[in-house]
Amino acid sequence: MVDGQFSLTPAMGNKLFQPTAGALAVTVPVVSFDENNAKVLEVFGQHKELVSLPVVEGDRPIGLISRHIFMSQMSKPYHRELYERKSCIAFMDKDPLIVEGDTSVETVGALAVASGDKTLADGFLIVEQGRLLGLGSGLELMRELVALQVEKNRQVMQSIDYASVIQRAMLSTSRSAMSQALDDACLIWEPRDVVGGDFYHFEHHADGWFAAVADCTGHGVPGAFLTLIASSSLKQALELHGPRDPAQVMNEVNRSMKRVLGQHASSEKQSESDDGMDACFFWFDTGSRQLTCANAKMSLFVLAADGEEVQTIDGKRTGLGYVDTPDDMRWENRSVQVGLDAIVFVSTDGIIDQIGGAKNIAFGKQRLRRALQEHRHLPMAELGRQVMAGHLDYQGTQRRRDDVTFFGARLGGAANQPDEQHA
């Protein structure tokens, strides 16, 4: 303790040093239980800063006299004459909070709240094996609790920030492969928090490319943790089945995620989780210009170069990996012929489900389709920025509901590198 302030310092790397009540003990005057109130008046008069006065029997505290209560009582008419010669226990709190010096500050805080306002106002007694160490201040206790919470928050945020580095590194290979395969593309990956539950995957092959956009359950740290499981399952499925049959890959990812998470509806033991993901997996054959996709609660949008309508390709309304999703669930491939300069676009529901606008309703697929039509002639990087700008304008003052991820590509358009400013 320095000048009455206890310094909170991390110890042993990232482990948090836990301060104890003993560090808050301040040596103060005491009064014996057999002293009278005249003595209490004298002590309070000599120590103007003293908020409370411990009452002891030998070296053991038995109560606490609050300056405010004592002085209020003694200032009443005739009270000084009546009580000055009486025992000091007349105005003593017989049940103050008493804690051992090795009690953690967090525990003291919980006890202080449970004991009521008097502990925060008048303080508490700190002992070592029953013998008085000193008086603890409610204000100093609050300061230590705040400092402890600030340090905890700092360490948590430091861990989350580094988790973001890991998550971004996991996605970097896909960004590199995308920039090699596509001349005109956009990619936005914006977690609602520092880390998120959305992820993407891209592979460039001699005869085409495979892409996946996925939205795992939740966001923040739980969502990010699930992306590691889902991404690993996807990579294993691609190694096993190859990229040209997205539905088969999706079937395998579903089985893998359920196996890893232990989420089997037929299991005798109830699963502790019910998590999974929505996704769109698709393969583009550069020779035949055929786009093949499998969809799990996520739509794929296609806008032909000379078309006015945005084609929406939907699939099964069943997510991957969840307890109620059967182990042998079979998704289906949908194939479309894609002309030169057609736009392919897929988004997680972070944009579609965002509440906003004058009526505080969801952004919806229709607004997204109109944005694609309106900005179709722009390079994809700029189209992506316009979609995000429209989304943010629609969101207005509403809270961001979810992570936002989308991928778009113009197949055979002008040479523009993918927009990776958010990824």
Side-chain angles (χ1 to χ4, degrees):
M1 185 159 61
V2 180
D3 295 330
Q5 299 293 322
F6 180 72
S7 177
L8 180 67
T9 55
M12 298 178 64
N14 285 330
K15 292 184 178 180
L16 189 65
F17 176 69
Q18 294 284 350
T20 59
L24 299 175
V26 177
T27 301
V28 296
V30 298
V31 63
S32 176
F33 76 98
D34 53 5
E35 296 278 4
N36 59 27
N37 289 315
K39 180 63 176 180
V40 176
L41 272 172
E42 179 185 339
V43 173
F44 277 138
Q46 292 172 347
H47 301 274
K48 303 296 184 183
E49 79 290 349
L50 193 61
V51 174
S52 297
L53 180 63
V55 180
V56 297
E57 184 175 357
D59 57 0
R60 296 178 179 273
I62 62 170
L64 194 63
I65 300 175
S66 164
R67 170 190 283 272
H68 174 70
I69 294 175
F70 180 83
M71 299 304 289
S72 295
Q73 291 296 322
M74 294 299 282
S75 65
K76 292 180 179 180
Y78 308 114
H79 272 53
R80 184 162 182 169
E81 291 80 1
L82 287 171
Y83 292 102
E84 194 172 46
R85 298 302 173 186
K86 291 187 177 181
S87 170
C88 66
I89 65 174
F91 299 113
M92 178 185 77
D93 176 8
K94 300 178 179 62
D95 187 30
L97 176 62
I98 302 176
V99 297
E100 287 287 338
D102 60 359
T103 306
S104 73
V105 166
E106 285 184 305
T107 300
V108 177
L111 293 172
V113 171
S115 65
D117 294 343
K118 67 176 184 177
T119 298
L120 298 179
D122 301 331
F124 52 96
L125 297 165
I126 304 169
V127 299
E128 183 176 17
Q129 296 181 347
R131 293 187 293 273
L132 182 65
L133 278 179
L135 183 66
S137 162
L139 179 59
E140 288 303 313
L141 173 61
M142 292 300 102
R143 285 175 177 165
E144 286 303 318
L145 288 172
V146 169
L148 185 63
Q149 191 60 50
V150 167
E151 178 61 19
K152 282 185 175 182
N153 290 344
R154 187 193 68 79
Q155 291 197 14
V156 168
M157 288 308 303
Q158 192 175 53
S159 296
I160 293 174
D161 286 341
Y162 192 71
S164 176
V165 173
I166 295 173
Q167 191 172 36
R168 290 171 186 274
M170 179 187 77
L171 300 171
S172 62
T173 302
S174 291
R175 292 199 301 271
S176 177
M178 189 184 75
S179 61
Q180 293 175 15
L182 300 172
D183 292 329
D184 191 15
C186 64
L187 174 63
I188 298 293
W189 181 74
E190 280 196 4
R192 193 196 76 170
D193 305 310
V194 181
V195 291
D198 288 359
F199 77 96
Y200 53 86
H201 183 82
F202 194 96
E203 292 185 1
H204 184 202
H205 296 267
D207 56 340
W209 49 264
F210 173 89
V213 173
D215 180 1
C216 296
T217 304
H219 36 73
V221 174
F225 190 81
L226 197 56
T227 66
L228 299 178
I229 297 173
S231 178
S232 176
S233 297
L234 174 57
K235 290 174 183 177
Q236 292 175 11
L238 286 167
E239 290 176 0
L240 184 64
H241 299 291
R244 296 165 186 81
D245 188 346
Q248 180 68 12
V249 173
M250 192 166 279
N251 299 338
E252 183 64 32
V253 171
N254 176 60
R255 287 191 292 268
S256 177
M257 290 185 67
K258 289 177 69 69
R259 183 170 60 251
V260 171
L261 295 171
Q263 296 182 166
H264 301 281
S266 59
S267 175
E268 294 181 1
K269 183 180 179 181
Q270 185 72 24
S271 174
E272 294 183 3
S273 65
D274 185 13
D275 300 301
M277 69 177 182
D278 303 340
C280 180
F281 298 169
F282 48 105
W283 164 258
F284 179 67
D285 187 297
T286 52
S288 65
R289 299 192 65 83
Q290 182 167 282
L291 183 71
T292 303
C293 68
N295 311 72
K297 300 178 69 176
M298 188 179 296
S299 301
L300 180 72
F301 302 101
V302 180
L303 178 58
D306 56 354
E308 293 300 324
E309 296 296 323
V310 178
Q311 181 181 1
T312 303
I313 303 175
D314 294 314
K316 299 269 187 188
R317 299 299 300 168
T318 305
L320 284 73
Y322 293 97
V323 170
D324 292 338
T325 302
D327 286 25
D328 59 354
M329 180 70 188
R330 308 291 294 181
W331 279 268
E332 300 171 352
N333 286 322
R334 297 279 301 277
S335 296
V336 292
Q337 202 69 27
V338 180
L340 191 65
D341 289 340
I343 292 174
V344 176
F345 192 92
V346 62
S347 171
T348 61
D349 60 11
I351 285 183
I352 295 167
D353 290 348
Q354 177 61 51
I355 298 299
K359 297 182 179 180
N360 286 329
I361 59 176
F363 187 84
K365 292 181 181 179
Q366 186 58 35
R367 287 186 178 84
L368 181 55
R369 283 190 286 259
R370 285 202 297 266
L372 295 177
Q373 291 169 326
E374 180 182 354
H375 304 296
R376 61 188 297 171
H377 299 300
L378 295 174
M380 290 303 298
E382 182 59 29
L383 182 147
R385 282 188 282 268
Q386 290 297 325
V387 169
M388 275 302 295
H391 165 254
L392 292 173
D393 181 65
Y394 186 82
Q395 177 183 335
T397 59
Q398 291 287 333
R399 180 180 63 89
R400 170 74 70 87
R401 293 174 64 90
D402 204 351
D403 307 317
V404 171
T405 301
F406 62 76
F407 162 79
R410 192 187 311 276
L411 304 183
N416 288 89
Q417 290 300 315
D419 179 19
E420 300 178 15
Q421 60 179 345
H422 298 285

